[in-house]
Amino acid sequence: QGQLMESGGGSVQAGGSLRVSCTYSTYTYSTYCMGWFRQAPRKEREGVATIRADGTTTYADSVKGRFTISRDNTKKTLNLQMNNLKPEDTAMYYCAAVPAKYCTLGDILLGYWGQGTQVTISS
C-alpha cells in the first residue's frame, strides 16, 4: 500500500492556528476515507476528523467549529486547518487512509498510517 507523510506541526500559543498536511503516494487512497487522529502523552488515540471520498466530513465534538479537514485528490494531499488552538489540542497528529466501510472516528479496524507530526500548544 501507499505511504503517508505528515508535515506542518509545530508549537504555537493558545488561540493561534496551525495547518498540518499529509501527502500520500498512491491514487488508491483517493477512494478511501481519510482522517486525522491524535494521541497525547498517557492518553489513548482519538479521532479528530474524517473526510470521505465524496467530501462528507465528520468532526469530534472537541474540535467542531475550530478545525477544518480537506482533501485534494489531484495533489494526493490531506489537510487539517486548526484555529483557536487550546493546550488540550497538544498531541501527535496522525493521518490515516481507511477503506470506506471502516471509516470512523473510533477504533480503526483497518487503516494505513503516517508517522505523525507533533503539535504543541502553550497557554
Side-chain angles (χ1 to χ4, degrees), residues 35-54:
W36 287 99
F37 296 76
R38 67 187 182 186
Q39 187 166 20
R42 297 174 298 282
K43 292 189 176 181
E44 293 188 354
R45 186 177 64 197
E46 63 174 349
V48 175
T50 62
I51 183 167
R52 293 182 176 269
D54 66 0

PDB file of all heavy atoms in Angstrom, residues 35-54:
ATOM      1  N   GLY A  35      -8.449  10.450   7.328  1.00  0.00           N
ATOM      2  CA  GLY A  35      -8.751  11.031   8.625  1.00  0.00           C
ATOM      3  C   GLY A  35      -7.525  11.516   9.366  1.00  0.00           C
ATOM      4  O   GLY A  35      -6.396  11.164   9.043  1.00  0.00           O
ATOM      5  N   TRP A  36      -7.790  12.340  10.347  1.00  0.00           N
ATOM      6  CA  TRP A  36      -6.772  12.801  11.293  1.00  0.00           C
ATOM      7  C   TRP A  36      -7.104  12.250  12.671  1.00  0.00           C
ATOM      8  O   TRP A  36      -8.252  12.342  13.124  1.00  0.00           O
ATOM      9  CB  TRP A  36      -6.703  14.325  11.338  1.00  0.00           C
ATOM     10  CG  TRP A  36      -6.077  14.931  10.128  1.00  0.00           C
ATOM     11  CD1 TRP A  36      -6.715  15.479   9.050  1.00  0.00           C
ATOM     12  CD2 TRP A  36      -4.679  15.044   9.868  1.00  0.00           C
ATOM     13  NE1 TRP A  36      -5.798  15.924   8.134  1.00  0.00           N
ATOM     14  CE2 TRP A  36      -4.536  15.676   8.613  1.00  0.00           C
ATOM     15  CE3 TRP A  36      -3.522  14.692  10.567  1.00  0.00           C
ATOM     16  CZ2 TRP A  36      -3.290  15.953   8.045  1.00  0.00           C
ATOM     17  CZ3 TRP A  36      -2.288  14.963  10.003  1.00  0.00           C
ATOM     18  CH2 TRP A  36      -2.188  15.584   8.753  1.00  0.00           C
ATOM     19  N   PHE A  37      -6.100  11.731  13.304  1.00  0.00           N
ATOM     20  CA  PHE A  37      -6.211  11.191  14.646  1.00  0.00           C
ATOM     21  C   PHE A  37      -5.079  11.785  15.479  1.00  0.00           C
ATOM     22  O   PHE A  37      -4.072  12.226  14.934  1.00  0.00           O
ATOM     23  CB  PHE A  37      -6.128   9.661  14.615  1.00  0.00           C
ATOM     24  CG  PHE A  37      -7.268   9.034  13.876  1.00  0.00           C
ATOM     25  CD1 PHE A  37      -7.308   9.043  12.485  1.00  0.00           C
ATOM     26  CD2 PHE A  37      -8.321   8.451  14.561  1.00  0.00           C
ATOM     27  CE1 PHE A  37      -8.383   8.489  11.801  1.00  0.00           C
ATOM     28  CE2 PHE A  37      -9.388   7.882  13.886  1.00  0.00           C
ATOM     29  CZ  PHE A  37      -9.420   7.908  12.500  1.00  0.00           C
ATOM     30  N   ARG A  38      -5.245  11.780  16.769  1.00  0.00           N
ATOM     31  CA  ARG A  38      -4.195  12.339  17.616  1.00  0.00           C
ATOM     32  C   ARG A  38      -4.035  11.520  18.878  1.00  0.00           C
ATOM     33  O   ARG A  38      -4.961  10.852  19.323  1.00  0.00           O
ATOM     34  CB  ARG A  38      -4.489  13.803  17.953  1.00  0.00           C
ATOM     35  CG  ARG A  38      -5.710  14.021  18.832  1.00  0.00           C
ATOM     36  CD  ARG A  38      -6.008  15.517  18.957  1.00  0.00           C
ATOM     37  NE  ARG A  38      -7.156  15.779  19.829  1.00  0.00           N
ATOM     38  CZ  ARG A  38      -7.700  16.971  20.009  1.00  0.00           C
ATOM     39  NH1 ARG A  38      -7.213  18.041  19.379  1.00  0.00           N
ATOM     40  NH2 ARG A  38      -8.746  17.105  20.815  1.00  0.00           N
ATOM     41  N   GLN A  39      -2.848  11.604  19.430  1.00  0.00           N
ATOM     42  CA  GLN A  39      -2.577  10.912  20.683  1.00  0.00           C
ATOM     43  C   GLN A  39      -1.697  11.787  21.546  1.00  0.00           C
ATOM     44  O   GLN A  39      -0.579  12.141  21.153  1.00  0.00           O
ATOM     45  CB  GLN A  39      -1.908   9.559  20.442  1.00  0.00           C
ATOM     46  CG  GLN A  39      -1.769   8.731  21.701  1.00  0.00           C
ATOM     47  CD  GLN A  39      -1.429   7.285  21.419  1.00  0.00           C
ATOM     48  OE1 GLN A  39      -0.945   6.952  20.346  1.00  0.00           O
ATOM     49  NE2 GLN A  39      -1.683   6.422  22.381  1.00  0.00           N
ATOM     50  N   ALA A  40      -2.227  12.101  22.695  1.00  0.00           N
ATOM     51  CA  ALA A  40      -1.481  12.879  23.684  1.00  0.00           C
ATOM     52  C   ALA A  40      -0.766  11.920  24.626  1.00  0.00           C
ATOM     53  O   ALA A  40      -1.173  10.758  24.763  1.00  0.00           O
ATOM     54  CB  ALA A  40      -2.438  13.791  24.453  1.00  0.00           C
ATOM     55  N   PRO A  41       0.279  12.393  25.294  1.00  0.00           N
ATOM     56  CA  PRO A  41       1.000  11.524  26.239  1.00  0.00           C
ATOM     57  C   PRO A  41       0.051  10.936  27.276  1.00  0.00           C
ATOM     58  O   PRO A  41      -0.809  11.635  27.826  1.00  0.00           O
ATOM     59  CB  PRO A  41       2.010  12.479  26.880  1.00  0.00           C
ATOM     60  CG  PRO A  41       2.237  13.525  25.852  1.00  0.00           C
ATOM     61  CD  PRO A  41       0.915  13.711  25.181  1.00  0.00           C
ATOM     62  N   ARG A  42       0.173   9.656  27.492  1.00  0.00           N
ATOM     63  CA  ARG A  42      -0.594   8.920  28.512  1.00  0.00           C
ATOM     64  C   ARG A  42      -2.096   8.890  28.213  1.00  0.00           C
ATOM     65  O   ARG A  42      -2.896   8.622  29.121  1.00  0.00           O
ATOM     66  CB  ARG A  42      -0.347   9.521  29.902  1.00  0.00           C
ATOM     67  CG  ARG A  42       1.120   9.402  30.339  1.00  0.00           C
ATOM     68  CD  ARG A  42       1.352  10.128  31.651  1.00  0.00           C
ATOM     69  NE  ARG A  42       1.100  11.549  31.578  1.00  0.00           N
ATOM     70  CZ  ARG A  42       1.929  12.423  31.054  1.00  0.00           C
ATOM     71  NH1 ARG A  42       3.079  12.026  30.547  1.00  0.00           N
ATOM     72  NH2 ARG A  42       1.606  13.709  31.041  1.00  0.00           N
ATOM     73  N   LYS A  43      -2.442   9.161  26.975  1.00  0.00           N
ATOM     74  CA  LYS A  43      -3.840   9.079  26.590  1.00  0.00           C
ATOM     75  C   LYS A  43      -3.996   8.163  25.384  1.00  0.00           C
ATOM     76  O   LYS A  43      -3.038   7.918  24.638  1.00  0.00           O
ATOM     77  CB  LYS A  43      -4.403  10.467  26.267  1.00  0.00           C
ATOM     78  CG  LYS A  43      -4.517  11.376  27.475  1.00  0.00           C
ATOM     79  CD  LYS A  43      -5.275  12.641  27.126  1.00  0.00           C
ATOM     80  CE  LYS A  43      -5.499  13.523  28.336  1.00  0.00           C
ATOM     81  NZ  LYS A  43      -6.269  14.744  28.001  1.00  0.00           N
ATOM     82  N   GLU A  44      -5.205   7.681  25.191  1.00  0.00           N
ATOM     83  CA  GLU A  44      -5.465   6.849  24.028  1.00  0.00           C
ATOM     84  C   GLU A  44      -5.607   7.707  22.776  1.00  0.00           C
ATOM     85  O   GLU A  44      -5.953   8.889  22.846  1.00  0.00           O
ATOM     86  CB  GLU A  44      -6.739   6.025  24.250  1.00  0.00           C
ATOM     87  CG  GLU A  44      -6.600   4.979  25.342  1.00  0.00           C
ATOM     88  CD  GLU A  44      -7.800   4.046  25.411  1.00  0.00           C
ATOM     89  OE1 GLU A  44      -8.780   4.296  24.683  1.00  0.00           O
ATOM     90  OE2 GLU A  44      -7.742   3.093  26.192  1.00  0.00           O
ATOM     91  N   ARG A  45      -5.361   7.077  21.657  1.00  0.00           N
ATOM     92  CA  ARG A  45      -5.549   7.771  20.388  1.00  0.00           C
ATOM     93  C   ARG A  45      -7.021   8.111  20.202  1.00  0.00           C
ATOM     94  O   ARG A  45      -7.898   7.315  20.554  1.00  0.00           O
ATOM     95  CB  ARG A  45      -5.070   6.889  19.238  1.00  0.00           C
ATOM     96  CG  ARG A  45      -5.090   7.556  17.879  1.00  0.00           C
ATOM     97  CD  ARG A  45      -4.528   6.626  16.821  1.00  0.00           C
ATOM     98  NE  ARG A  45      -5.340   5.448  16.647  1.00  0.00           N
ATOM     99  CZ  ARG A  45      -4.923   4.343  16.045  1.00  0.00           C
ATOM    100  NH1 ARG A  45      -3.691   4.266  15.582  1.00  0.00           N
ATOM    101  NH2 ARG A  45      -5.736   3.311  15.899  1.00  0.00           N
ATOM    102  N   GLU A  46      -7.287   9.283  19.669  1.00  0.00           N
ATOM    103  CA  GLU A  46      -8.672   9.684  19.430  1.00  0.00           C
ATOM    104  C   GLU A  46      -8.817  10.248  18.028  1.00  0.00           C
ATOM    105  O   GLU A  46      -7.883  10.837  17.471  1.00  0.00           O
ATOM    106  CB  GLU A  46      -9.123  10.730  20.461  1.00  0.00           C
ATOM    107  CG  GLU A  46      -8.362  12.038  20.408  1.00  0.00           C
ATOM    108  CD  GLU A  46      -8.948  13.089  21.339  1.00  0.00           C
ATOM    109  OE1 GLU A  46     -10.042  12.898  21.878  1.00  0.00           O
ATOM    110  OE2 GLU A  46      -8.288  14.134  21.510  1.00  0.00           O
ATOM    111  N   GLY A  47      -9.996  10.057  17.470  1.00  0.00           N
ATOM    112  CA  GLY A  47     -10.285  10.602  16.167  1.00  0.00           C
ATOM    113  C   GLY A  47     -10.553  12.093  16.245  1.00  0.00           C
ATOM    114  O   GLY A  47     -11.216  12.559  17.166  1.00  0.00           O
ATOM    115  N   VAL A  48     -10.040  12.824  15.272  1.00  0.00           N
ATOM    116  CA  VAL A  48     -10.231  14.274  15.211  1.00  0.00           C
ATOM    117  C   VAL A  48     -11.234  14.625  14.111  1.00  0.00           C
ATOM    118  O   VAL A  48     -12.199  15.338  14.351  1.00  0.00           O
ATOM    119  CB  VAL A  48      -8.894  14.981  14.951  1.00  0.00           C
ATOM    120  CG1 VAL A  48      -9.105  16.477  14.765  1.00  0.00           C
ATOM    121  CG2 VAL A  48      -7.911  14.697  16.078  1.00  0.00           C
ATOM    122  N   ALA A  49     -10.979  14.130  12.917  1.00  0.00           N
ATOM    123  CA  ALA A  49     -11.850  14.436  11.784  1.00  0.00           C
ATOM    124  C   ALA A  49     -11.631  13.409  10.684  1.00  0.00           C
ATOM    125  O   ALA A  49     -10.532  12.871  10.544  1.00  0.00           O
ATOM    126  CB  ALA A  49     -11.577  15.840  11.242  1.00  0.00           C
ATOM    127  N   THR A  50     -12.695  13.150   9.943  1.00  0.00           N
ATOM    128  CA  THR A  50     -12.586  12.280   8.777  1.00  0.00           C
ATOM    129  C   THR A  50     -13.245  12.955   7.583  1.00  0.00           C
ATOM    130  O   THR A  50     -14.136  13.801   7.748  1.00  0.00           O
ATOM    131  CB  THR A  50     -13.249  10.915   8.997  1.00  0.00           C
ATOM    132  OG1 THR A  50     -14.645  11.100   9.241  1.00  0.00           O
ATOM    133  CG2 THR A  50     -12.615  10.159  10.152  1.00  0.00           C
ATOM    134  N   ILE A  51     -12.807  12.556   6.411  1.00  0.00           N
ATOM    135  CA  ILE A  51     -13.428  13.045   5.182  1.00  0.00           C
ATOM    136  C   ILE A  51     -13.502  11.884   4.194  1.00  0.00           C
ATOM    137  O   ILE A  51     -12.507  11.227   3.905  1.00  0.00           O
ATOM    138  CB  ILE A  51     -12.655  14.251   4.597  1.00  0.00           C
ATOM    139  CG1 ILE A  51     -13.356  14.790   3.348  1.00  0.00           C
ATOM    140  CG2 ILE A  51     -11.192  13.917   4.329  1.00  0.00           C
ATOM    141  CD1 ILE A  51     -12.832  16.158   2.911  1.00  0.00           C
ATOM    142  N   ARG A  52     -14.699  11.622   3.729  1.00  0.00           N
ATOM    143  CA  ARG A  52     -14.909  10.545   2.790  1.00  0.00           C
ATOM    144  C   ARG A  52     -14.547  10.986   1.371  1.00  0.00           C
ATOM    145  O   ARG A  52     -14.323  12.174   1.123  1.00  0.00           O
ATOM    146  CB  ARG A  52     -16.352  10.058   2.859  1.00  0.00           C
ATOM    147  CG  ARG A  52     -16.691   9.374   4.172  1.00  0.00           C
ATOM    148  CD  ARG A  52     -18.108   8.865   4.204  1.00  0.00           C
ATOM    149  NE  ARG A  52     -18.410   8.131   5.431  1.00  0.00           N
ATOM    150  CZ  ARG A  52     -18.264   6.819   5.562  1.00  0.00           C
ATOM    151  NH1 ARG A  52     -17.829   6.095   4.550  1.00  0.00           N
ATOM    152  NH2 ARG A  52     -18.561   6.237   6.719  1.00  0.00           N
ATOM    153  N   ALA A  53     -14.531  10.014   0.463  1.00  0.00           N
ATOM    154  CA  ALA A  53     -14.173  10.323  -0.919  1.00  0.00           C
ATOM    155  C   ALA A  53     -15.142  11.325  -1.540  1.00  0.00           C
ATOM    156  O   ALA A  53     -14.752  12.114  -2.413  1.00  0.00           O
ATOM    157  CB  ALA A  53     -14.132   9.040  -1.741  1.00  0.00           C
ATOM    158  N   ASP A  54     -16.385  11.327  -1.082  1.00  0.00           N
ATOM    159  CA  ASP A  54     -17.368  12.258  -1.633  1.00  0.00           C
ATOM    160  C   ASP A  54     -17.349  13.619  -0.936  1.00  0.00           C
ATOM    161  O   ASP A  54     -18.176  14.478  -1.226  1.00  0.00           O
ATOM    162  CB  ASP A  54     -18.772  11.669  -1.569  1.00  0.00           C
ATOM    163  CG  ASP A  54     -19.276  11.471  -0.142  1.00  0.00           C
ATOM    164  OD1 ASP A  54     -18.537  11.792   0.811  1.00  0.00           O
ATOM    165  OD2 ASP A  54     -20.410  10.972   0.020  1.00  0.00           O
TER     166      ASP A  54
END
